[in-house]
């Protein structure tokens, strides 16, 4: 088992990127864009309609989720200051609890990434269909979904320099119109459109939890800068700042956008809307051009999210493979990008996408999307537990008692938030997620045995 001192001592040299014109470390702006781009994918364009049946009480759920996400972001910032290496949750879990915990973090995060990529590509096709109707042709639909996955993968394979450039462009292109809609809607806001605070039966607390369960997926990605810490300039300083700034920026867009849509689209219409931002745009400016405009925004948003998630999907297995816990092929790195990880991830996501369209198992696919909410909470729980371990085991920095208490409260809040995410995933998602984890246990057994044989031979 690894100790908390071995990994940090040897990581910095390992993470130093090669002198390659295609490889470039991320500064604070790109790292912040990576966080915001990964948190805000295509979900924002559907969220207002998804939570509308719960009434404006869903805005309370948004607020609670935002506070939990910020607590989690602050914890990741503190952990990245302590261990500023590529891998994020994997590095923290392994440093605190050893190889097996580190492997579970990397394995769960990897599953989250490639299943999420498949879901995002399918969502992007839905928006493309608004502009170019392709739903009647299954081959065209599949080809479009695969194109949405492989274009970001190719950008990643070109090098981190191009990943950062694509992320900045995608973030700017999607946030300009989103902010215009979110802010512009406030000028057309009509409280009569809000509908009841809690129209459904049951308690208000139950409604908050139920709407939060729908919103859980929207905040995945707060760990983005921490996972790519090895590619961030001055990670001890910039990872924490990028994580908090990116989370706050995403939260502002979520809350303002949802509030604007609530106030511009009548509640009874919003409940059945399939394009709430389009309806809000039409209500504000008239005409029917809003649907096409929002579809373009959604596709840019999703491409930006896929660009960032493709990089993240390769970083966790890269860090684990470097320590002998994933196949060695995942350590192959060119132009600052773990190429094998990118290729394996996009192939798996592509196969899942093709399966979804050809088998017609929409229900199974939706369960797999919910599984990503559960699998993402595994590294979140392990990371926050690692922070609690560091604080209680005497390994915390020599700081004032006030700062120590603050960090402990934040870690406990983030741990509680992560448990709430697990509960909100639903029984079916937790069941499927546990099966994925058990498959990972078998993989770990194989890799651990192989690592032990190699160590015995070397000895």
């Amino acid at each position: 088992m690894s100790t908390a001192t071995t990994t940090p001592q040897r990581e910095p040299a390992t993470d130093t990127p090669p002198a390659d014109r295609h490889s470039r470390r991320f500064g604070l702006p790109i790292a912040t864009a990576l966080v915001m781009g990964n948190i805000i994918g295509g979900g924002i364009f559907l969220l207002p309609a998804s939570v509308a049946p719960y009434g404006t009480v869903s805005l309370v759920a948004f607020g609670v989720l935002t506070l939990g996400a910020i607590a989690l972001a602050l914890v990741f910032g503190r952990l990245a200051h302590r261990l500023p290496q590529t891998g994020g949750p994997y590095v923290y879990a392994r440093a605190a609890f050893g190889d097996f915990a580190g492997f579970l973090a990397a394995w769960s995060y990897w599953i989250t990434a490639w299943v999420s990529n498949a879901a995002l590509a399918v969502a992007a096709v839905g928006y493309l269909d608004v502009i170019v109707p392709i739903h009647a042709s299954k081959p065209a639909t599949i080809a479009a979904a695969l194109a949405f996955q492989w274009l970001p993968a190719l950008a990643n394979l070109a090098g981190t320099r191009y990943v950062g450039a694509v992320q900045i462009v995608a973030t700017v292109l999607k946030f300009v119109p989103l902010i215009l809609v979110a802010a512009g809607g406030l000028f057309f806001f009509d409280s009569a459109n809000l509908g009841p605070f809690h129209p459904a039966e049951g308690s208000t607390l139950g409604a908050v939890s139920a709407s939060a369960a729908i919103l859980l997926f929207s905040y995945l990605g707060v760990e983005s800068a921490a996972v790519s810490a090895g590619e961030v300039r001055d990670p001890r300083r910039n990872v924490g700042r990028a994580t908090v700034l990116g989370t706050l920026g995403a939260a502002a867009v979520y809350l303002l956008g949802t509030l604007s849509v609530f106030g511009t689209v009548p509640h009874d219409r919003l409940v059945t809307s399939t394009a709430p931002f389009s309806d809000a745009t039409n209500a504000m400016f008239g005409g029917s051009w809003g649907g096409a405009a929002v579809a373009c925004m959604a596709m840019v948003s999703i491409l930006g999210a896929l660009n960032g998630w493709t990089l993240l999907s390769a970083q966790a297995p890269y860090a684990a493979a470097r320590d002998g816990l994933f196949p060695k092929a995942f350590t192959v790195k060119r132009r600052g990008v773990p190429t094998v990880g990118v290729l394996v991830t996009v192939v798996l996501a592509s196969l899942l996408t093709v399966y979804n369209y050809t088998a017609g198992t929409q229900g199974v696919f939706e369960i797999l999307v919910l599984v990503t909410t559960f699998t993402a909470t595994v590294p979140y729980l392990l990371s926050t537990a690692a922070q609690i371990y560091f604080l209680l085991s005497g390994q915390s920095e020599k700081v004032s008692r006030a700062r120590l208490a603050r960090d402990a409260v934040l870690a406990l809040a983030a741990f509680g938030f992560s448990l709430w995410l697990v509960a909100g995933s639903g029984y079916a998602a937790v069941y499927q997620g546990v099966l994925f984890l058990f498959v990972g246990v078998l993989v770990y057994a194989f890799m651990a045995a192989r690592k032990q044989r190699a160590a015995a031979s070397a000895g």
Side-chain angles (χ1 to χ4, degrees):
M1 300 293 284
S2 301
T3 65
T5 57
T6 55
T7 302
Q9 290 177 342
R10 65 172 183 265
E11 293 282 357
T14 307
D15 273 344
T16 301
D20 189 330
R21 65 188 179 89
H22 300 286
S23 175
R24 178 177 296 175
R25 284 185 174 244
F26 301 149
L28 179 61
I30 293 180
T32 303
L34 186 68
V35 175
M36 293 182 71
N38 287 343
I39 291 177
I40 300 180
I44 187 172
F45 297 97
L46 295 175
L47 283 176
S50 299
V51 298
Y54 298 99
T56 52
V57 71
S58 57
L59 295 176
V60 177
F62 250 134
V64 175
L65 281 172
T66 299
L67 291 176
I70 291 173
L72 197 58
L74 290 170
V75 170
F76 274 119
R78 296 302 301 159
L79 287 167
H81 184 270
R82 180 190 300 275
L83 299 168
Q85 295 94 40
T86 293
Y90 160 75
V91 173
Y92 314 144
R94 181 171 180 258
F97 309 121
D99 285 352
F100 183 61
F103 173 84
L104 282 181
W107 178 262
S108 300
Y109 197 81
W110 187 49
I111 292 171
T112 301
W114 64 263
V115 176
S116 296
N117 282 1
L120 286 171
V122 172
V125 172
Y127 289 112
L128 176 64
D129 189 65
V130 175
I131 302 173
V132 183
I134 59 174
H135 63 277
S137 172
K138 185 172 291 185
T141 302
I142 293 174
L146 295 180
F148 276 112
Q149 291 175 355
W150 281 90
L151 286 174
L154 292 175
N156 273 265
L157 292 174
T160 53
R161 174 180 182 178
Y162 303 100
V163 174
V166 171
Q167 200 65 33
I168 285 290
V169 172
T171 300
V172 170
L173 288 179
K174 87 177 160 186
F175 275 105
V176 168
L178 280 177
I179 291 174
L180 285 175
V181 171
L186 298 179
F187 292 97
F188 297 88
F189 192 91
D190 185 352
S191 59
N193 292 326
L194 292 177
F197 179 72
H198 174 34
E201 297 180 358
S203 66
T204 301
L205 181 60
V208 171
S209 298
S211 54
I214 298 175
L215 301 170
L216 296 180
F217 190 76
S218 62
Y219 274 105
L220 297 184
V222 297
E223 73 293 334
S224 303
V227 174
S228 297
E231 281 67 50
V232 177
R233 287 197 301 268
D234 191 9
R236 294 183 186 275
R237 175 181 173 85
N238 285 333
V239 168
R241 294 169 66 194
T243 300
V244 174
L245 289 174
T247 303
L248 287 173
V253 173
Y254 276 147
L255 291 169
L256 280 178
T258 303
L259 183 61
S260 293
V261 173
F262 273 27
T264 53
V265 181
H267 181 263
D268 57 347
R269 183 179 176 187
L270 183 59
V271 170
T272 58
S273 174
T274 57
F277 270 74
S278 294
D279 292 338
T281 303
N282 292 336
M284 286 187 286
F285 305 111
S288 59
W289 56 269
V294 170
C296 291
M297 287 187 268
M299 285 189 288
V300 171
S301 177
I302 293 171
L303 278 173
L306 279 167
N307 181 62
W309 274 108
T310 299
L311 175 63
L312 297 184
S313 68
Q315 298 288 24
Y318 163 77
R322 194 178 48 199
D323 295 322
L325 300 180
F326 257 58
K328 188 177 179 180
F330 283 89
T331 62
V332 176
K333 203 171 189 181
R334 293 183 59 191
R335 298 176 174 179
V337 175
T339 53
V340 172
V342 169
L343 288 172
V344 172
T345 295
V346 73
V347 167
L348 287 173
S350 298
L351 291 174
L352 181 59
T353 302
V354 172
Y355 171 77
N356 174 63
Y357 281 120
T358 56
T361 52
Q362 185 66 28
V364 173
F365 189 79
E366 289 174 353
I367 290 176
L368 288 175
V369 171
L370 287 175
V371 167
T372 63
T373 303
F374 168 74
T375 54
T377 60
V378 174
Y380 288 176
L381 284 168
L382 288 170
S383 297
T384 53
Q387 174 71 341
I388 293 171
Y389 167 78
F390 290 138
L391 293 173
L392 297 181
S393 63
Q395 298 185 45
S396 57
E397 297 92 348
K398 294 181 179 179
V399 297
S400 65
R401 183 172 298 180
R403 170 175 284 188
L404 188 63
R406 182 202 65 185
D407 285 350
V409 169
L410 283 173
L412 289 172
F415 189 85
F417 174 66
S418 300
L419 281 179
W420 192 36
L421 294 181
V422 173
S425 300
Y427 293 109
V430 172
Y431 170 76
Q432 297 287 343
V434 169
L435 291 180
F436 273 115
L437 291 182
F438 283 169
V439 172
V441 172
L442 180 62
V443 174
Y444 174 79
F446 174 79
M447 295 304 303
R450 184 176 180 180
K451 182 179 179 181
Q452 183 64 30
R453 288 198 307 269
S457 299

